């Protein structure tokens, strides 16, 4: 995103000091007038003698001094004989050095570049250049020139320089031709290009609104958006046509032929559902749910080689050593989990899920791996069990590319059992990847809370498994933890049962503060976080130990407004504190931030020196450093990874002093503060309220109006997710 005060610099390239071919970052010496300066930024390959127009501005580097920071580059063909000769002889074009460049320019003069582009066979007119060499020189010229032209072409349509580098690297010299022919191919071919970018390019190129390319891309986009935004793995046929027609701003009938084409190519798969609806599914979702069902059946049917003897006695020994007493239901959960190939254990807060995991670990001994979907959930699991727990991505050894893990059917996990906590957060693709990495005979124990919000990603894996009735499961209902007097636990169960929570009991851990408006509630929340709660909790860190959760993103007490207010109070600007503006956001050293988009190519470095790729939606960390000159923001995440973001990547970061309830899943905080000030009924639901409260470990504070609390408790509407895993399980297991 260029700065509003961006300037332009006309210059002649003198030479390239440094270039990273992966991301296009370059350090280039240029001459403007009589002055020689250094330009830095993501740039196309540049050759000495080329005339360029750079957009950007001056910066002062602490080591290298004054530099031009470029955000875009327009290349102009060299027009002088010396410029053409320097360009050809720069080494950019394989096979042409200074001597050969001199010969070519001497022969063709100012027509040299046109000859190279349009009539390369004429290169044979130069002594020493035969047909084979002429073809090689022409191919190298076209490759470099085409890629550079493609970068300039793409940037003129708002494509970021780093993404333009990726596109031109993949398409090469054919980039412009391929994009002009069908810009929508970018969506399938290039990670990071979505429908809106491709559509903007297409419409600018004059491609008709009713182009078959556009209609097919629009249908797939409607399904992908339904998955990304609402978690659907399919849409009913009529709903798909309606959504696509609305998004494309055309009549729905025009889409029928395009849909038939996608069904024929099996990019979209039709499936008949039990309710008579014809489901339209993108093929990756269809095959993911089908594969999950097949793997679960195999795990259930695999013979277990190590059924534990005297299970009941060993459970009693665990109870005795820990001074606890399981209920019959809890004892059954442990017994079945250690003797079956597949088991699901669900329950709300305080029902003993962690204690049951500890008992299972004691019974099974070595060979058990623990995992959870997020870094925070894995860290909490490690602390509660005393055993190492990893994120699912770490466990499966993420390979830096969407959906790719080093652990799979050919390289399965070396273990006897895997226990996964916070299963409500696991989407269909992560579940499939986990199942691919399990050898037949491996036990799989899935633990979670079925009453929480479903995964941010597509699917309803835990819910569908439970509703299918095909997989053994135990639902825990009795409050087990010794802190059973906790109002957090009691109120969570009351809310889940449709009863209003108990508020402001003396010496409790659950409080309500009445505030009449959203603005009043927001102001009160800032005061609570900055002053009152740290004093009440004694030495609590207002940023690390207190988490504000809001049901909505907008309005007076929404995520955006509260983040701005809390940042101003908890991490205000200071003379020596660095900060960097990106759009309407300001990132400051010390800020609490969240990564909000899966980025499979973003590199990280861990404290132990290991390196890897991939930062994921929901990861929370703190800004540890800001490089003002190169505009790089460094974030240290909770799982001890450090990530550097360049300026264009800052769109993937948001402040995290306040999170949406959805984004808080899998996390637990000492104190949760939540505005309850009204809003759209689709947001203010019972299971959202329940999910928010169960994130708190020591204290909950609600701020707003009692009637809004009652409204959420009454609103038991659960937005339907269109998913087909339940049907696939029924088909695999032979259940009705």
């Amino acid at each position: 995103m260029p700065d509003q005060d961006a300037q332009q610099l006309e210059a002649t390239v003198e030479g390239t000091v440094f270039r990273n071919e992966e991301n296009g970052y370059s350090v280039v010496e240029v001459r403007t007038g009589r002055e020689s300066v250094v330009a830095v930024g993501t740039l196309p390959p540049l050759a000495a003698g080329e005339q360029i127009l750079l957009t950007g501005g001056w910066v002062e580097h602490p080591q290298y001094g004054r530099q031009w920071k470029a955000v875009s580059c327009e290349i102009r063909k060299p027009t002088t004989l010396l410029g053409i000769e320097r360009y050809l002889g720069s080494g950019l074009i394989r096979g042409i050095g200074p001597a050969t460049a001199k010969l070519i320019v001497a022969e063709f003069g100012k027509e040299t570049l046109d000859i190279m582009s349009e009539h390369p066979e004429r290169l044979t007119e130069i002594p020493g250049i035969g047909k084979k060499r002429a073809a090689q020189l022409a191919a190298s010229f076209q490759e470099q020139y085409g890629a550079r032209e493609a970068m300039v072409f793409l940037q003129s349509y708002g494509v970021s320089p780093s993404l333009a580098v990726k596109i031109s690297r993949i398409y090469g010299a054919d980039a412009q031709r391929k994009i002009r022919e069908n810009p929508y191919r970018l969506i399938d071919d290039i990670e990071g290009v979505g429908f809106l970018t491709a559509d903007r390019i297409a419409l600018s190129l004059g491609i008709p609104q009713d182009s078959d390319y556009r209609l097919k891309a629009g249908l797939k986009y409607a399904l992908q958006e339904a998955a990304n935004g609402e978690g659907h793995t399919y849409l009913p046929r009529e709903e798909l046509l309606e959504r696509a027609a609305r998004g494309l701003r055309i009549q729905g009938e025009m889409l029928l032929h395009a849909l038939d084409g996608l069904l024929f190519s099996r990019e979209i798969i039709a499936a008949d559902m039990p309710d008579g609806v014809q489901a339209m599914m993108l093929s990756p979702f269809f095959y993911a749910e089908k594969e999950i069902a097949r793997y679960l059946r195999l795990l259930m049917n695999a013979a277990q080689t190590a059924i534990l003897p005297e299970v009941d006695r060993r459970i009693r020994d665990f109870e005795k050593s820990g001074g606890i007493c399981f209920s019959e239901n809890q004892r059954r959960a442990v017994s079945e989990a250690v003797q079956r190939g597949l088991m699901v254990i669900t329950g709300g807060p305080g029902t003993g899920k962690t204690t049951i995991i500890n008992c299972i670990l004691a019974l099974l001994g070595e060979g058990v791996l623990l995992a959870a979907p997020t870094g925070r959930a894995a860290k909490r699991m490690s602390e509660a069990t005393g055993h190492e727990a990893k994120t699912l991505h770490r466990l499966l050894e993420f390979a830096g590319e969407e959906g790719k893990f080093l652990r799979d059917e050919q390289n399965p996990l070396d273990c006897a059992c895997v226990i996964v906590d916070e299963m409500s957060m696991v989407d269909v693709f992560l579940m499939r990847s986990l199942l691919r990495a399990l050898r037949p005979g491996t036990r799989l124990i899935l633990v979670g809370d079925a009453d929480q919000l479903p995964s941010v990603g597509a699917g309803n894996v835990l819910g569908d498994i439970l509703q299918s009735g095909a997989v053994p499961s135990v639902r825990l209902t009795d409050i087990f933890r010794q802190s059973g007097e906790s109002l957090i636990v009691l109120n969570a169960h009351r809310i889940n049962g449709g009863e209003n929570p108990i508020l402001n009991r003396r010496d409790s851990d659950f409080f309500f503060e009445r505030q009449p408006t959203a603005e009043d509630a927001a102001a009160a929340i800032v005061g609570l976080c900055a002053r009152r709660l740290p004093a009440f909790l004694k030495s609590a860190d207002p940023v690390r130990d207190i988490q504000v959760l809001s049901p909505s993103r907008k309005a007076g007490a929404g995520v955006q407004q509260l983040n701005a207010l809390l940042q101003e109070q908890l991490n205000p600007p200071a003379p020596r504190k660095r900060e960097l503006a990106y759009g309407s956001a300001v990132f400051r050293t010390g800020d609490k931030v969240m990564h909000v988009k899966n980025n499979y190519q973003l590199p990280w470095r861990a404290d132990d020196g290991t390196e890897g790729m991939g930062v994921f939606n929901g990861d929370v960390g703190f800004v540890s450093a800001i490089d003002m000159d190169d505009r790089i923001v460094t974030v240290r995440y909770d799982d001890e990874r450090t990530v550097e973001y360049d300026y264009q990547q800052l769109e993937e970061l948001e402040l995290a002093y306040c999170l949406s309830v959805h984004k808080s899943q899998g996390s637990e905080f000492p104190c949760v503060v939540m505005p309850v000030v009204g809003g759209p009924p689709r947001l203010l639901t019972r299971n959202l309220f329940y999910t928010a409260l169960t994130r708190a470990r020591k204290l909950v504070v609600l701020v707003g109006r009692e009637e809004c609390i009652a409204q959420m408790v009454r609103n038991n509407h659960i937005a339907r997710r269109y998913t087909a895993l339940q049907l696939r399980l029924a088909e695999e297991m032979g259940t009705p």
Side-chain angles (χ1 to χ4, degrees):
M1 179 184 293
D3 294 338
Q4 295 297 317
D5 58 351
Q7 303 168 342
Q8 291 187 320
L9 181 73
E10 290 190 39
T12 302
V13 177
E14 294 192 315
T16 298
V17 178
F18 168 80
R19 178 171 175 78
N20 183 329
E21 291 298 338
E22 286 300 309
N23 59 24
Y25 181 80
S26 304
V27 178
V28 181
E29 289 183 354
V30 300
R31 177 166 293 279
T32 173
R34 295 183 177 180
E35 184 183 12
S36 182
V37 301
V38 171
V40 298
T42 302
L43 301 169
L46 297 171
E50 287 191 294
Q51 304 295 311
I52 57 174
L53 179 65
L54 298 173
T55 300
W58 292 106
V59 296
E60 190 69 29
H61 192 281
Q63 183 176 353
Y64 301 112
R66 187 169 179 250
Q67 297 178 335
W68 181 271
K69 178 76 172 180
V71 296
S72 68
C73 172
E74 177 185 336
I75 305 170
R76 297 169 174 176
K77 288 183 180 180
T79 55
T80 67
L81 293 178
L82 180 59
I84 295 170
E85 183 181 321
R86 291 185 67 194
Y87 164 57
L88 289 181
S90 65
L92 198 63
I93 301 168
R94 292 188 303 275
I96 300 181
T100 303
K102 194 176 200 66
L103 289 173
I104 295 173
V105 174
E107 179 69 26
F108 300 118
K110 292 187 177 181
E111 296 181 2
T112 295
L113 297 182
D114 291 333
I115 297 293
M116 295 282 293
S117 179
E118 305 296 331
H119 304 287
E121 69 280 358
R122 290 191 58 190
L123 289 172
T124 58
E125 297 174 15
I126 298 171
I129 298 181
K131 288 185 179 181
K132 184 177 179 180
R133 188 181 176 201
Q136 292 172 340
L137 297 180
S140 179
F141 176 82
Q142 290 290 356
E143 179 184 338
Q144 290 296 329
Y145 203 76
R148 296 179 322 135
E149 290 290 301
M151 279 195 64
V152 176
F153 165 74
L154 288 163
Q155 289 183 59
S156 69
Y157 291 104
V159 177
S160 70
S162 57
L163 188 54
V165 168
K166 183 190 296 186
I167 294 169
S168 61
R169 190 169 66 242
I170 291 173
Y171 285 162
D174 281 344
Q176 276 203 67
R177 181 187 61 78
K178 289 181 176 181
I179 294 167
R180 288 183 184 278
E181 178 186 275
N182 175 18
Y184 299 100
R185 71 190 305 158
L186 290 165
I187 303 168
D188 296 324
D189 294 348
I190 312 292
E191 184 185 337
V193 177
F195 175 81
L196 297 179
T197 298
D199 200 42
R200 183 173 65 247
I201 296 172
L203 296 178
S204 299
L205 291 172
I207 290 178
Q209 281 201 318
D210 60 354
S211 157
D212 196 49
Y213 290 134
R214 183 170 189 263
L215 301 186
K216 286 181 177 179
L219 285 163
K220 291 193 292 183
Y221 176 67
L223 285 172
Q224 191 65 59
E225 282 297 286
N228 295 342
E230 301 160 74
H232 301 309
T233 60
Y234 76 85
L235 286 177
R237 179 186 175 94
E238 295 308 315
E239 186 169 342
L240 168 60
L241 291 168
E242 180 184 328
R243 289 190 184 204
R246 188 166 59 246
L248 293 167
R249 298 182 298 280
I250 62 169
Q251 296 297 316
E253 296 77 15
M254 301 173 69
L255 290 165
L256 296 176
H257 178 72
L259 180 57
D260 287 341
L262 291 169
L263 290 168
F264 180 78
S265 65
R266 293 189 69 78
E267 293 175 79
I268 292 178
I269 295 175
D272 293 326
M273 305 302 291
D275 57 4
V277 166
Q278 189 177 42
M280 297 287 114
M281 309 183 72
L282 288 169
S283 59
F285 295 95
F286 174 83
Y287 290 113
E289 289 184 324
K290 193 173 181 65
E291 211 174 326
I292 289 169
R294 180 172 65 85
Y295 278 119
L296 291 177
R297 174 180 60 79
L298 293 173
L299 287 175
M300 284 181 60
N301 294 343
Q304 294 299 309
T305 57
I307 303 299
L308 290 172
E310 301 180 337
V311 170
D312 290 342
R313 180 187 61 77
R314 296 183 64 181
I315 293 174
R316 289 195 297 272
D317 289 345
F318 178 84
E319 291 177 278
K320 184 177 179 180
S321 65
I324 58 176
C325 181
F326 284 133
S327 70
E328 191 57 40
N329 205 31
Q330 292 155 348
R331 193 172 292 110
R332 182 168 70 90
V334 175
S335 179
E336 294 201 22
V338 299
Q339 296 185 91
R340 290 183 178 273
L342 177 63
M343 184 68 185
V344 181
I345 301 171
T346 69
T351 55
K353 296 192 298 295
T354 298
T355 307
I356 284 172
I357 291 173
N358 281 325
C359 185
I360 292 169
L361 288 168
L363 267 63
L364 291 181
E366 299 295 323
V368 180
L369 299 178
L370 304 182
T374 66
R376 286 198 165 196
K379 185 177 181 180
R380 195 173 73 247
M381 197 179 188
S382 295
E383 293 169 348
T385 63
H387 289 68
E388 181 187 20
K390 297 181 178 181
T391 66
L392 284 167
H393 284 85
R394 284 267 187 109
L395 180 74
L396 300 177
E397 298 178 26
F398 177 66
E401 184 179 344
E402 183 174 2
K404 300 294 184 183
F405 296 90
L406 298 181
R407 294 291 184 174
D408 56 17
E409 301 97 327
Q410 281 71 48
N411 183 30
L413 292 166
D414 183 17
C415 64
C417 175
V418 174
I419 303 175
V420 183
D421 198 8
E422 294 287 357
M423 262 303 298
S424 63
M425 296 182 64
V426 177
D427 63 34
V428 290
F429 294 114
L430 190 54
M431 184 65 177
R432 180 181 62 178
S433 295
L434 170 65
L435 293 172
R436 283 177 172 176
L438 301 182
R439 289 182 300 204
T442 303
R443 286 190 179 87
L444 178 60
I445 301 169
L446 308 176
V447 183
D449 187 342
D451 294 313
Q452 289 184 17
L453 295 169
S455 59
V456 174
N460 186 21
V461 174
L462 179 62
D464 281 353
I465 289 174
L466 291 170
Q467 290 165 24
S468 74
V471 176
S473 65
V474 171
R475 182 183 178 92
L476 307 174
T477 55
D478 299 323
I479 297 177
F480 176 75
R481 66 168 66 155
Q482 292 180 348
S483 58
E485 295 302 312
S486 162
L487 270 191
I488 297 174
V489 175
L490 178 61
N491 280 336
H493 286 273
R494 285 177 65 90
I495 290 165
N496 209 25
E499 299 180 75
N500 286 333
I502 298 168
L503 305 175
N504 293 340
R505 177 189 286 174
R506 184 184 297 275
D507 298 324
S508 77
D509 54 7
F510 199 103
F511 295 96
F512 169 74
E513 179 172 315
R514 186 178 294 104
Q515 292 293 343
T517 69
E519 290 70 25
D520 291 332
I525 286 170
V526 172
L528 282 163
C529 294
R531 296 178 295 279
R532 296 162 57 194
L533 287 176
F536 177 78
L537 292 170
K538 296 182 175 59
S539 75
D541 186 314
V543 178
R544 294 181 181 272
D545 297 332
I546 301 170
Q547 183 62 57
V548 181
L549 303 179
S550 179
S552 61
R553 288 192 57 80
K554 299 182 180 179
V559 171
Q560 295 173 351
Q561 176 68 4
L562 281 167
N563 265 323
L565 294 172
L566 289 165
Q567 181 194 40
E568 182 181 352
Q569 187 66 40
L570 301 178
N571 191 29
R576 294 187 178 180
K577 191 180 294 183
R578 294 186 170 187
E579 62 179 47
L580 185 62
Y582 180 84
S584 60
V586 175
F587 296 104
R588 195 171 289 140
T589 305
D591 273 337
K592 187 178 186 180
V593 293
M594 171 177 275
H595 189 91
V596 296
K597 176 186 177 184
N598 288 342
N599 186 330
Y600 300 94
Q601 303 299 323
L602 195 56
W604 53 260
R605 177 187 290 271
D607 286 359
D608 61 6
T610 58
E611 297 180 349
M613 305 281 280
V615 184
F616 303 102
N617 188 358
D619 287 350
V620 174
F622 290 84
V623 176
S624 58
I626 296 177
D627 185 325
M628 300 297 294
D629 298 308
D630 291 331
R631 298 197 296 183
I632 292 174
V633 174
T634 302
V635 177
R636 178 181 166 83
Y637 283 100
D638 288 339
D639 54 3
E640 300 178 345
R641 292 176 303 160
T642 297
V643 179
E644 290 187 349
Y645 293 80
D646 65 31
Y647 191 68
Q648 285 82 14
Q649 292 167 331
L650 293 181
E651 65 179 1
E652 299 178 13
L653 281 182
E654 289 183 1
L655 294 175
Y657 299 98
C658 177
L659 301 176
S660 70
V661 178
H662 283 84
K663 294 286 189 183
S664 73
Q665 287 177 265
S667 298
E668 192 175 76
F669 313 98
C671 175
V672 165
V673 181
M674 181 179 178
V676 283
V677 293
R682 63 183 177 80
L683 292 178
L684 303 183
T685 62
R686 183 187 299 176
N687 72 329
L688 181 140
F689 193 22
Y690 171 83
T691 300
L693 301 189
T694 54
R695 301 305 90 208
R697 192 163 62 244
K698 294 181 179 179
L699 184 67
V700 168
V701 181
L702 305 178
V703 182
R705 304 194 303 274
E706 292 99 325
E707 60 267 29
C708 295
I709 295 174
Q711 175 191 351
M712 281 191 282
V713 173
R714 288 194 305 270
N715 184 5
N716 197 28
H717 172 73
I718 298 176
R720 178 182 177 184
R721 282 198 171 188
Y722 293 118
T723 61
L725 179 57
Q726 185 179 347
L727 174 62
R728 300 288 164 248
L729 283 165
E731 292 171 350
E732 281 286 341
M733 309 295 187
T735 56

